[in-house]
Amino acid sequence: MKMFYVVCLILLIGRFGLAQSSDLIERTYSGTSKEKSAPAARRDIQEQASNTISSELIKSLIGEDRYLKNKKVIQNRIERLANRYIPVAKPGELILEGDTYKMTVTLKVSLKGLKALLQENSLLAENDTAPVVLPLVAYTDKVEFKSYRWWKPHENEGKSFLMSESRNFENALRGAFQKHNFYLIKASSMGPQVPSSVQNERLSLDDMQLMNQYFGAPLVVEGSVQFTRSPEASNRYRIEIKLFALQVSNGRPIADVSRRFETEAGIFESVVDKKFREVIEATSQDLASQVYEAWQRGTVGSMVIRLAFQGRIPLDQQESFKDKLRAQLPQIRTIRERLISADGVIYEIDTNMSTKDLAGKLSNLEIDGKKWISRASSDSEVTMQLQR
């Protein structure tokens, strides 16, 4: 019986080890040192290996310009904590040639650990300026049959209640985003400046992109706030809030909140205003926190690309295939299966590269002895074909 438990323990440890190592990528570095003693030379070359491999991977994740701009921060807050993302450093044989020591070091690097450290220091975000957010929220009063949209200024007469609630919510959103160093445009006063071509009831992605160019806001908060009678009682009212944060460049949603609240019994505008003021701060904080997390992960500024492999990948190898693909291309932020068939696999990836650049990086990709040929088949898809 004891032997049985020992075997089970060994198997569990083995599985745990495999799980831990699946995230690791291997890199080698060959260096030299002029240090006088062998121990000092060994330490010197190992430090060179850690710093060189770290800088190469960080540049691939955040770009050369961003790396150079934040070099001191990276050296002090990232590379000095290399043990958090380099769990294994295996030195080779130290060779003395004349007055110079030579050695090769093999490192195993956790991309997940490195990305986490970059995120902690806000280095995965796409730019260093305060991200600008444009609110595009429609307000509807289904009790008195009125609606308000700040970008349609010629229709605002007799809508003072909705305009007031809009300003209240806008202020709550601005405060919530400001806590994360985001700037929310004071849209309630911008109505007369909106081009007539986008003063529409429902805004299309093209309309939002035009507004993005006009106001310089890469992110929008769009959605609706509705005030209706409660089905529970005729003198009580319901507030429904549905908001989405979108990346304007591609219409990609990065955050959302949906809330429903019931007011006390009373006069419509009075009880609705009281309840609305009570709930908008927490609702705004929820949305702003989601957007900030997406910004830290590097999701904002990235695009979704379909990566289609036209060639059979055995089902039991697909998870390790993803890990190896991610290891060879650190610019892939997330990867998930979209379609699995007998003829191949289609992945959906987040990356800040264009399909042309991605195809170039994947040119002559080799995994497990198989070579793949890449091509950008469209602006949103890269096709990988197994070389015969």
Side-chain angles (χ1 to χ4, degrees):
M1 181 63 73
K2 285 184 179 178
M3 181 60 72
F4 172 76
Y5 287 121
V6 169
V7 171
C8 287
L9 183 61
I10 290 171
L11 289 172
L12 284 171
I13 292 172
R15 287 188 180 184
F16 178 76
L18 286 172
Q20 291 290 94
S21 64
S22 65
D23 170 54
L24 302 180
I25 61 173
E26 190 171 284
R27 293 286 188 271
T28 58
Y29 172 83
S30 296
T32 61
S33 176
K34 294 285 188 178
E35 293 287 347
K36 301 299 182 183
S37 67
R42 184 176 285 107
R43 285 194 301 272
D44 181 28
I45 296 173
Q46 284 185 276
E47 187 175 335
Q48 292 175 35
S50 175
N51 291 340
T52 302
I53 299 303
S54 292
S55 63
E56 287 175 0
L57 289 173
I58 292 169
K59 286 175 186 176
S60 72
L61 289 169
I62 69 174
E64 180 88 22
D65 291 343
R66 192 172 177 80
Y67 176 87
L68 293 174
K69 191 173 182 180
N70 297 276
K71 191 171 182 178
K72 286 187 178 179
V73 173
I74 290 168
Q75 288 174 339
N76 294 329
R77 298 184 186 178
I78 308 293
E79 293 177 358
R80 284 187 180 179
L81 299 175
N83 61 318
R84 285 182 54 177
Y85 57 87
I86 303 179
V88 179
K90 186 179 179 182
E93 182 184 359
L94 187 67
I95 300 170
L96 179 61
E97 293 183 358
D99 62 348
T100 302
Y101 285 98
K102 295 182 177 181
M103 187 175 73
T104 297
V105 183
T106 301
L107 303 178
K108 291 193 175 181
V109 186
S110 167
L111 276 182
K112 186 177 180 181
L114 178 57
K115 287 179 180 179
L117 204 50
L118 289 169
Q119 285 171 8
E120 286 175 22
N121 290 278
S122 301
L123 288 168
L124 273 185
E126 288 303 307
N127 61 60
D128 297 315
T129 59
V132 179
V133 184
L134 179 67
L136 296 170
V137 183
Y139 293 79
T140 305
D141 171 0
K142 291 192 172 182
V143 177
E144 297 184 357
F145 304 103
K146 296 178 181 180
S147 65
Y148 166 72
R149 291 161 176 76
W150 67 263
W151 58 92
K152 299 184 72 178
H154 58 286
E155 295 182 0
N156 292 344
E157 191 175 343
K159 300 177 180 179
S160 58
F161 172 66
L162 291 179
M163 292 172 68
S164 174
E165 300 310 293
S166 170
R167 284 193 295 270
N168 291 338
F169 200 7
E170 185 181 282
N171 289 336
L173 283 167
R174 184 176 300 105
F177 276 102
Q178 198 166 27
K179 289 181 180 179
H180 300 294
N181 295 320
F182 284 60
Y183 175 71
L184 186 117
I185 291 173
K186 193 172 183 179
S188 55
S189 61
M190 295 286 190
Q193 300 180 33
V194 176
S196 58
S197 60
V198 294
Q199 292 183 19
N200 302 319
E201 192 81 8
R202 294 180 63 86
L203 294 171
S204 66
L205 180 57
D206 288 342
D207 293 336
M208 292 182 195
Q209 288 172 343
L210 188 60
M211 285 219 187
N212 169 35
Q213 294 172 20
Y214 192 81
F215 290 104
L219 301 175
V220 301
V221 172
E222 66 104 17
S224 63
V225 174
Q226 290 190 353
F227 306 128
T228 61
R229 290 191 186 277
S230 171
E232 309 296 328
S234 60
N235 62 346
R236 291 173 60 187
Y237 304 92
R238 175 173 289 177
I239 301 170
E240 293 190 64
I241 303 172
K242 292 182 180 179
L243 301 177
F244 303 88
L246 303 179
Q247 183 176 318
V248 183
S249 60
N250 54 14
R252 182 182 181 189
I254 58 172
D256 67 272
V257 294
S258 181
R259 300 284 188 275
R260 177 182 290 174
F261 306 99
E262 299 286 332
T263 72
E264 301 172 350
I267 299 171
F268 169 61
E269 290 189 3
S270 176
V271 294
V272 165
D273 179 67
K274 180 184 177 183
K275 187 65 178 179
F276 196 54
R277 289 174 183 268
E278 289 175 3
V279 302
I280 54 178
E281 185 173 341
T283 304
S284 300
Q285 292 289 355
D286 186 358
L287 185 71
S289 295
Q290 289 183 49
V291 173
Y292 178 64
E293 288 170 8
W295 186 268
Q296 279 197 311
R297 289 195 305 268
T299 301
V300 179
S302 68
M303 62 185 295
V304 177
I305 293 178
R306 285 161 58 95
L307 189 58
F309 282 83
Q310 297 178 350
R312 187 173 177 275
I313 302 171
L315 193 61
D316 59 350
Q317 296 178 19
Q318 283 171 14
E319 200 61 36
S320 64
F321 188 88
K322 277 199 306 183
D323 292 334
K324 290 170 184 174
L325 183 62
R326 193 186 290 111
Q328 292 196 34
L329 198 66
Q331 292 91 340
I332 293 178
R333 290 168 174 170
T334 62
I335 179 169
R336 50 199 169 272
E337 293 90 349
R338 189 63 184 268
L339 179 65
I340 300 174
S341 69
D343 301 321
V345 180
I346 296 177
Y347 295 110
E348 191 175 77
I349 67 170
D350 279 330
T351 180
N352 59 356
M353 293 190 294
S354 66
T355 53
K356 184 179 178 180
D357 290 340
L358 180 63
K361 288 280 186 182
L362 292 172
S363 177
N364 297 316
L365 173 73
E366 185 172 341
I367 295 180
D368 296 335
K370 294 180 179 179
K371 289 187 177 181
W372 300 83
I373 301 169
S374 61
R375 70 180 173 89
S377 46
S378 72
D379 289 339
S380 59
E381 182 169 300
V382 171
T383 301
M384 306 294 297
Q385 204 160 19
L386 191 59
Q387 192 176 51
R388 301 296 181 186

